[in-house]
Amino acid sequence: MPKNAQFYLLTDTSPARLNLSAMESLACDLAASAWRLGKRVLLVCESEAQALKIDEALWQREPDEFVPHNLSGEATTYATPIEISWTGKRNAQSRDLLINLQPQLPEYINSFNQIIDFVPVEERPKALARERYKQLRQLGWTLSTEQV
């Protein structure tokens, strides 16, 4: 199965809704869209604080926009379709899609066939995104970009 990575080129630096950055807000929307298409998503954050902020934002969505999700390590009766994780924390459940909010690629990327990543406007994070793009290209992933 081919491995695909979609990079979203961000053009807006203003905060989105619920105190999220434009990147975090887009990540939530993309996770919700993927879930509606039947995909199981791992949304990996840079820190536990960021994971908690995204978890809270997903809980505050309108009832008709609700997406079932949990934080890595939370005890749940059934596995939720969207798991929110962070550096150093990962559940072993199999997922279809990795949404990466970290400045580097997680070491477990090869267990995925689809990755979503972001290219921020700010120079330092943009340079790190270019590095991730190069690494994936060297690993043979099919890469695409979309401006948002």
Side-chain angles (χ1 to χ4, degrees):
M1 180 172 233
K3 294 188 175 275
N4 298 299
Q6 173 77 45
F7 278 78
Y8 286 87
L9 308 172
L10 303 174
T11 55
D12 189 4
T13 58
S14 61
R17 63 182 186 269
L18 302 172
N19 297 320
L20 295 179
S21 70
M23 179 175 72
E24 292 165 341
S25 180
L26 180 58
C28 288
D29 292 343
L30 292 168
S33 295
W35 168 66
R36 287 187 183 91
L37 293 172
K39 293 187 183 287
R40 298 176 48 74
V41 180
L42 178 64
L43 200 158
V44 64
C45 299
E46 189 172 353
S47 66
E48 183 176 6
Q50 184 183 44
L52 291 168
K53 185 166 72 163
I54 287 174
D55 177 55
E56 185 60 31
L58 287 174
W59 281 116
Q60 292 181 20
R61 292 172 78 100
E62 293 298 320
D64 61 336
E65 291 182 7
F66 176 76
V67 291
H69 66 281
N70 70 289
L71 291 164
S72 287
E74 279 185 329
T76 56
T77 305
Y78 302 101
T80 59
I82 298 172
E83 181 179 346
I84 306 165
S85 188
W86 57 93
T87 303
K89 182 94 172 161
R90 173 152 192 261
N91 197 328
Q93 288 184 28
S94 174
R95 302 283 169 171
D96 305 308
L97 169 64
L98 172 70
I99 298 178
N100 185 36
L101 295 175
Q102 296 182 346
Q104 68 285 331
L105 291 172
E107 68 276 359
Y108 47 80
I109 60 161
N110 286 324
S111 63
F112 290 87
N113 290 320
Q114 186 178 7
I115 293 177
I116 289 176
D117 207 320
F118 305 90
V119 181
V121 174
E122 302 84 8
E123 279 309 312
R124 175 146 169 63
K126 185 186 290 187
L128 292 170
R130 288 182 181 134
E131 258 326 291
R132 294 190 303 274
Y133 188 94
K134 281 189 233 172
Q135 288 174 319
L136 289 169
R137 185 175 58 214
Q138 289 169 347
L139 292 170
W141 287 64
T142 300
L143 304 169
S144 58
T145 59
E146 183 176 326
Q147 194 157 356
V148 289

